[in-house]
Amino acid sequence: MGRATRRSRSRKNRPFWVELPLLIGISLVLALLIKTFLVQAFSIPSDSMQNTLQQGDRVLVDKLTPWFGSEPERGEVVVFHDPADWLAGVPVDEPNTVQKVLSFVGVMPSAEEKDLIKRVIGVGGDTVECAGDGPVKVNGTALDEPYVFPGNTPCSNDEGGSFKVTVPDGKIWVMGDHRQASADSRYHQDDPNQGMVPVDEVVGRAVVVAWPIGRWSTLPVPETFKNVPDKP
C-alpha cells in the first residue's frame, strides 16, 4: 500500500472533534479578514438617526471602498470614530470578554464605544448653512430632506442650530436625521475640529440595515444631494 493511500485514509478516519478546532480557527481568521478589509457590522447606539435607523438596528459598513482612496460623499450615512470626545459623559455598557472577542473578529457588531453614525451633509470645500427652521443649504442650494424625523425642522433656533460654515479639505460636516435629538457637528463647533469630522476618522459607509429582518433595507444617497453644485 502506497504512502499516498495511507495518508488519504488517515485524513478520512480523523474524528470530527479533532478537525473542529481547525475549522473554527479558519472561520475566525476569515471573519477577521472580512471585518478588517471588507464589511463590518455596527449596532446603532442612539435615536439620533431616526427614522432612517432605529436604536438597536444592525447595519453593515463598507470598509473596502476607502482602501481605494474613495472619500465620503454628501448624503451618505457613515460610521466614524469619535473625533473630539463627542461622547464624553455618555454612559456605555461595557461588553464582556466574549462580546469583545466576537466583535474583534467581526462576528458580532462593533463593541467600540467611541464610534458614531451620522449623515454627511457637507464635504471639503462646501459651505453649509442653517437659519431659523431651515432648510439646510449646501453651496446655496436648499436640501429637500424627507428623511428628517417627522415633527423635526431641518434647522433649529437654538445655540448651534443656526450657522454658516465652510468645510475644510479632508473633513466632513455631519448631522443626524433626528435633528432635534442629535448632538452632531452643529453642537461641537468649539472643539479642535470646529465640529468637523476628519476623513481619516471615518470607518466606512453604512450600506444596509441587516437586522432585524423586518427592517432590512439599503441606505442609498437621497436624490436631493445630486442637485448640490460643487464649490468653484
Side-chain angles (χ1 to χ4, degrees), residues 67-90:
W67 281 87
F68 294 95
S70 177
E71 294 192 353
E73 297 183 1
R74 304 182 197 103
E76 293 180 345
V77 175
V78 296
V79 172
F80 55 95
H81 298 310
D82 188 342
D85 290 329
W86 287 16
L87 295 175
V90 177

Side-chain angles (χ1 to χ4, degrees), residues 4-224:
T5 302
R6 286 197 297 270
R7 283 197 299 268
S8 176
R9 286 185 176 179
S10 176
R11 284 195 295 268
K12 289 181 180 178
N13 295 331
R14 187 179 299 163
F16 175 72
W17 63 266
V18 174
E19 294 188 349
L20 183 59
L22 177 61
L23 294 174
I24 293 175
I26 292 173
S27 299
L28 290 177
V29 169
L30 289 175
L32 178 60
L33 290 173
I34 291 172
K35 174 242 184 179
T36 302
F37 299 106
L38 298 177
V39 175
Q40 181 177 357
F42 179 78
S43 181
I44 305 305
S46 72
D47 296 331
S48 69
M49 282 296 293
Q50 287 181 319
N51 273 334
T52 303
L53 299 171
Q54 301 291 344
Q55 185 173 356
D57 282 355
R58 267 61 168 174
V59 298
L60 298 183
V61 178
D62 170 20
K63 301 178 70 175
L64 176 64
T65 305
W67 281 87
F68 294 95
S70 177
E71 294 192 353
E73 297 183 1
R74 304 182 197 103
E76 293 180 345
V77 175
V78 296
V79 172
F80 55 95
H81 298 310
D82 188 342
D85 290 329
W86 287 16
L87 295 175
V90 177
V92 178
D93 293 333
E94 180 67 23
N96 59 41
T97 302
V98 174
Q99 289 174 321
K100 287 181 179 179
V101 171
L102 294 179
S103 172
F104 176 74
V105 298
V107 175
M108 283 185 65
S110 173
E112 171 57 61
E113 63 184 60
K114 295 296 184 180
D115 285 350
L116 301 97
I117 185 166
K118 305 290 181 189
R119 189 179 298 277
V120 179
I121 301 298
V123 297
D126 286 345
T127 296
V128 184
E129 57 186 307
C130 261
D133 292 336
V136 178
K137 293 183 180 180
V138 182
N139 298 337
T141 298
L143 299 181
D144 176 19
E145 300 185 282
Y147 48 80
V148 169
F149 187 76
N152 278 193
T153 54
C155 302
S156 54
N157 286 305
D158 57 4
E159 185 176 356
S162 296
F163 60 87
K164 183 173 183 178
V165 297
T166 298
V167 185
D169 289 338
K171 295 185 178 179
I172 55 176
W173 179 270
V174 299
M175 297 171 71
D177 290 356
H178 195 164
R179 291 290 155 82
Q180 273 77 68
S182 178
D184 47 43
S185 289
R186 296 169 293 169
Y187 302 106
H188 296 280
Q189 295 182 61
D190 58 350
D191 73 17
N193 298 308
Q194 297 180 306
M196 316 291 175
V197 176
V199 170
D200 291 344
E201 297 292 342
V202 175
V203 176
R205 175 187 174 187
V207 291
V208 172
V209 180
W211 188 264
I213 297 298
R215 283 188 46 74
W216 191 94
S217 61
T218 58
L219 296 169
V221 173
E223 287 290 324
T224 189

